Amino acid sequence: MVVGQIDQLTGAAFASAKLKAYWELLKFRLSFLVAFSCAFGFVLATQRIDWFILTMVFIGGFMLSGSSVIVNQIIEKDLDKLMTRTMSRPLPTDRVSVNEAIIVSAFCFIAGVGLLIIYTNPLTVALSVVSMVLYSFVYTPLKRVGPIAVFVGAIPGALPPLLGWTAATGVISHEALIIFGIQFIWQFPHFWAIAWVADEDYKKAGFKLLPSSGERDLNTAVQIMIYTMFLIPLGMLPATFGITGVNSAIVATVCGVLFFAQTFSLMKSGDRKAALKIMFGSFLYLPIVQIAYLLDKI
């Protein structure tokens, strides 16, 4: 659907096109992964799963993620028009107006926070609001300032499993900090691999996400390698502290080693293909490890 075409539609075709645009606006896959991470933390924290509360936590996490990514797109609408990877999003193509996006974001925020207020506890609600503020209003503008944005963005990026844990327990324990820490460290090779692959596009919008010199060089590749290496011992901590068992520790270690091994190709060649492998590896690592933890727990 190109710019302006949606307004020429009527009836069911118009409704279908609008729903598709809203679906894209919510970044369904990203918001689903955030919600899954919330549910992951909740299940790890509880001995007996309350499936209704778990569902409410999942929906609340999804709605808050949707609200956050919409605010991000509103702020970056004009920048998204400059980049090939984002120029076809609903706001740059005018398939959704800014006012519509604000309304949808506000609805998602109120619904998400409302569910967490009713079915969880004040700590979880407070952390969820902090997560949204950090992502939407701190990380988003910092992307044009420097690589500090990746550090800031890694905090709300790692909060979902901690939110799930606090939703189940009402406290931030050392176990909660462990699952937060794994996802926090994972953010760095994940973000930097994406920034390496999309470097030319990001530069069009003035985004500065690569570390140190901000270039696709050996120094950046080494930093990606170091943070990936940290995931190997971190992945064993849930078993060490009795959150999960030895089977998931083995899975996490194997995944960590395979993920780590991919970084040597980037350090050697420095090409886009090697960065793509790390990017796809990062997308696989987290859900596989989290599912292994869940299966070991259940």
Side-chain angles (χ1 to χ4, degrees):
M1 184 66 63
V2 298
V3 178
Q5 275 191 351
I6 195 169
D7 294 327
Q8 299 171 17
L9 300 176
T10 58
F14 175 80
S16 176
K18 271 294 183 183
L19 286 174
K20 184 176 184 294
Y22 289 146
W23 182 274
E24 293 176 27
L25 192 68
L26 285 168
K27 291 188 179 179
F28 179 82
R29 283 179 295 181
L30 173 60
S31 295
F32 179 87
L33 288 174
V34 169
F36 176 81
S37 288
C38 291
F40 160 74
F42 184 92
V43 172
L44 279 193
T46 184
Q47 296 301 317
R48 291 187 61 187
I49 301 173
D50 186 323
W51 291 99
F52 178 75
I53 300 298
L54 174 61
T55 301
M56 295 302 103
V57 170
F58 182 91
I59 295 173
F62 181 90
M63 299 297 277
L64 281 170
S65 174
S67 179
S68 299
V69 298
I70 291 172
V71 172
N72 171 272
Q73 290 172 83
I74 292 170
I75 294 172
E76 294 183 347
K77 175 188 175 184
D78 293 334
L79 299 177
D80 281 346
K81 291 179 180 179
L82 304 176
M83 297 183 289
T84 304
R85 63 189 294 271
T86 57
M87 61 175 52
S88 61
R89 286 177 176 175
L91 285 170
T93 56
D94 293 323
R95 288 179 290 144
V96 174
S97 70
V98 170
N99 287 338
E100 286 178 289
I102 291 171
I103 292 170
V104 175
S105 179
F107 171 79
C108 289
F109 178 78
I110 293 169
V113 170
L115 287 174
L116 296 182
I117 288 173
I118 295 169
Y119 296 108
T120 63
N121 50 67
L123 176 60
T124 303
V125 174
L127 288 174
S128 67
V129 173
V130 168
S131 178
M132 181 186 177
V133 170
L134 280 176
Y135 180 83
S136 300
F137 301 108
V138 183
Y139 161 71
T140 296
L142 279 178
K143 287 162 70 176
R144 303 188 78 201
V145 174
I148 185 64
V150 175
F151 175 82
V152 174
I155 299 173
L159 276 175
L162 190 146
L163 290 172
W165 189 283
T166 61
T169 66
V171 297
I172 300 176
S173 62
H174 67 276
E175 295 95 340
L177 293 176
I178 287 170
I179 61 173
F180 169 85
I182 293 170
Q183 195 150 321
F184 178 78
I185 294 299
W186 169 84
Q187 302 278 325
F188 291 90
H190 173 71
F191 267 121
W192 287 333
I194 293 173
W196 189 300
V197 171
D199 186 55
E200 291 88 354
D201 236 9
Y202 279 172
K203 283 179 177 177
K204 295 175 187 175
F207 291 162
K208 304 171 183 178
L209 298 179
L210 290 173
S212 301
S213 62
E215 298 298 327
R216 294 181 292 183
D217 54 19
L218 179 61
N219 182 53
T220 295
V222 168
Q223 294 204 49
I224 291 174
M225 181 271 291
I226 290 171
Y227 279 88
T228 306
M229 181 177 63
F230 285 150
L231 287 173
I232 300 173
L234 280 172
M236 294 185 283
L237 289 182
T240 303
F241 284 87
I243 306 170
T244 60
V246 68
N247 291 331
S248 59
I250 293 172
V251 172
T253 301
V254 171
C255 289
V257 170
L258 292 174
F259 192 14
F260 174 64
Q262 292 178 319
T263 63
F264 290 98
S265 177
L266 183 65
M267 288 191 294
K268 181 180 179 180
S269 65
D271 62 17
R272 189 175 184 272
K273 184 178 179 180
L276 269 172
K277 289 181 180 179
I278 295 174
M279 186 180 78
F280 287 124
S282 71
F283 280 118
L284 291 173
Y285 173 86
L286 195 63
I288 290 174
V289 170
Q290 288 184 340
I291 290 171
Y293 289 149
L294 288 176
L295 293 175
D296 218 4
K297 170 73 175 182
I298 296 172

